[in-house]
Amino acid sequence: MSHSTVPRTRAEADATKKTPAASGDATGPDGGRRQPGKPPSLRLRFRRDRVLLLMTLPAVLLVLLFNYVPILGNVVAFQEYDPYLSDNGIVSILHSPWVGLENFQRIFEDSAFWNSVRNTLVLFLLQLVLYFPIPIALALLINSVVRPRVRAISQAILYLPHFFSWVLVIAVFQQLLGGAGLLSQLLRDHGYDGLSVMTDPDTFKFLVTAQSVWKDAGWGIIVFLAALASVSPDLYEAAAMDGANRWRRMWHVTLPALRPVIALLLVLRVGDALTVGFEQILLQRDAVGPGAAEVLDTFVWWNGVRNQDFGYAAAAGLVKGVISLGLVLVANKVAHLMGEQGVYKK
């Protein structure tokens, strides 16, 4: 080693230790120094992740175009909107007369609106109690099946109804539970009066829930099966060595692993509480009458599309959106209080 590279005095040695390389100062891509522990600037992060940002740009543009730009159309809730003023919708909005909060006043004084709110909440609560736990139970049942072939066949059978249209689903239920369906024919053959569940307003909410369970419960277990696949087998082995039986292992290992997913889906389901199947209910609305089948989505469609009262329907839809947003925020706060992440972190 040459004498020129070795510090000859203590002062030179201390100066050598205080160089940027020795002190741990970070250097950014542009040559600038960054203090250790300090997060990179926005410009540096943009340069670092520019490829990923460009990849997500088309999806972001689609979301903005189809989800956020239409929000501007909610201005018609404060107008007596007439789409026939011009071939251009924007021109029609600009020339429609303003009515202020008149549409909202009409909504809160309309008994049909409150009837649709009541039917919507009843269907939501019923489906939350009867439908939401079923995918969890099916996922636990399929996960307990040892033979892979039996598991694959069970999953295929449960997934299949999800790909059926609501027209086909309702037709199947009509053939089973309608006035001329299989159940009525069976009752008549044994001397009893036939029945038609499809046209009974008192049982309509249970009918809609049964249809939703048959169609979508199998598809809903996909998320829970993915969560179960991430549970380490060592946890089950350790619980078994401690003397835990099958039910104890499910209660202390499986369900805690599913709890974050359950909390997230429950928050999303609460936010979607006021949307309970527009197409499904609209197809059966005339059979049981609007008193039992009118929900907020069909109320908005009937007044906006059928009655051409666009401002009134837009006001009802805006009220629904605001309430749904509030439900999401409240449910997410409850998830945070329970120690779960929810939709977003605190």
Side-chain angles (χ1 to χ4, degrees):
M1 180 180 294
S2 63
H3 294 286
S4 61
T5 60
V6 179
R8 288 175 293 182
T9 64
R10 187 177 185 85
E12 292 179 353
D14 294 340
T16 303
K17 294 179 181 180
K18 293 180 181 180
T19 58
S23 62
D25 289 342
T27 302
D30 57 352
R33 294 179 182 177
R34 177 170 56 86
Q35 295 297 326
K38 183 179 180 180
S41 64
L42 180 61
R43 182 169 60 90
L44 293 180
R45 284 184 291 172
F46 179 80
R47 292 184 59 186
R48 181 190 62 192
D49 301 330
R50 60 184 179 273
V51 177
L52 296 176
L53 293 174
L54 289 175
M55 291 174 60
T56 59
L57 184 59
V60 172
L61 292 177
L62 289 176
V63 171
L64 291 175
L65 180 61
F66 293 102
N67 290 85
Y68 287 93
V69 173
I71 293 178
L72 301 176
N74 284 324
V75 69
V76 303
F78 305 92
Q79 295 179 320
E80 188 178 350
Y81 177 66
D82 186 359
Y84 305 108
L85 292 176
S86 173
D87 294 335
N88 191 321
I90 298 178
V91 175
S92 298
I93 293 177
L94 295 176
H95 290 82
S96 295
W98 291 87
V99 296
L101 300 177
E102 180 181 335
N103 289 325
F104 296 93
Q105 183 179 357
R106 289 174 54 198
I107 285 175
F108 295 128
E109 295 175 354
D110 191 350
S111 59
F113 171 77
W114 293 110
N115 177 66
S116 65
V117 172
R118 182 176 63 253
N119 291 336
T120 302
L121 294 178
V122 168
L123 285 174
F124 162 69
L125 293 175
L126 190 63
Q127 292 185 9
L128 186 65
V129 173
L130 299 181
Y131 169 70
F132 189 78
I134 291 179
I136 304 174
L138 290 176
L140 295 175
L141 181 62
I142 293 178
N143 190 64
S144 65
V145 176
V146 178
R147 300 182 62 178
R149 185 175 181 83
V150 176
R151 183 184 301 181
I153 295 175
S154 301
Q155 291 179 11
I157 294 175
L158 291 172
Y159 294 164
L160 184 61
H162 173 77
F163 301 98
F164 296 163
S165 67
W166 277 115
V167 176
L168 180 58
V169 171
I170 294 171
V172 170
F173 273 77
Q174 180 68 36
Q175 294 299 319
L176 293 175
L177 305 176
L182 181 63
L183 179 61
S184 294
Q185 292 292 343
L186 185 63
L187 291 174
R188 293 189 185 98
D189 292 340
H190 290 79
Y192 297 98
D193 295 332
L195 55 88
S196 179
V197 180
M198 302 295 292
T199 58
D200 188 355
D202 296 330
T203 59
F204 178 73
K205 52 184 178 292
F206 299 101
L207 173 67
V208 171
T209 304
Q211 292 169 351
S212 299
V213 169
W214 185 73
K215 185 178 187 296
D216 291 328
W219 182 261
I221 68 176
I222 293 178
V223 177
F224 297 108
L225 286 176
L228 290 174
S230 64
V231 181
S232 175
D234 297 339
L235 297 177
Y236 291 105
E237 294 176 2
M241 293 179 62
D242 290 339
N245 55 23
R246 179 185 296 270
W247 295 105
R248 289 279 185 177
R249 293 197 296 270
M250 182 186 70
W251 183 261
H252 294 287
V253 178
T254 305
L255 290 181
L258 289 178
R259 194 173 70 173
V261 179
I262 294 174
L264 175 61
L265 294 181
L266 189 59
V267 170
L268 296 176
R269 185 69 188 93
V270 170
D272 205 30
L274 303 184
T275 303
V276 286
F278 167 74
E279 182 182 359
Q280 174 192 11
I281 296 177
L282 183 63
L283 291 170
Q284 304 175 88
R285 182 179 183 273
D286 294 337
V288 296
E294 191 79 288
V295 294
L296 280 173
D297 283 343
T298 58
F299 178 84
V300 172
W301 177 85
W302 191 266
N303 287 278
V305 178
R306 294 295 297 269
N307 295 340
Q308 302 288 299
D309 196 350
F310 297 100
Y312 184 67
L318 189 59
V319 170
K320 172 192 168 185
V322 172
I323 295 176
S324 298
L325 177 61
L327 290 175
V328 169
L329 296 177
V330 171
N332 199 71
K333 182 64 176 179
V334 173
H336 289 167
L337 295 176
M338 295 173 60
E340 301 298 336
Q341 178 176 336
V343 179
Y344 56 87
K345 294 181 179 180
K346 293 187 285 188

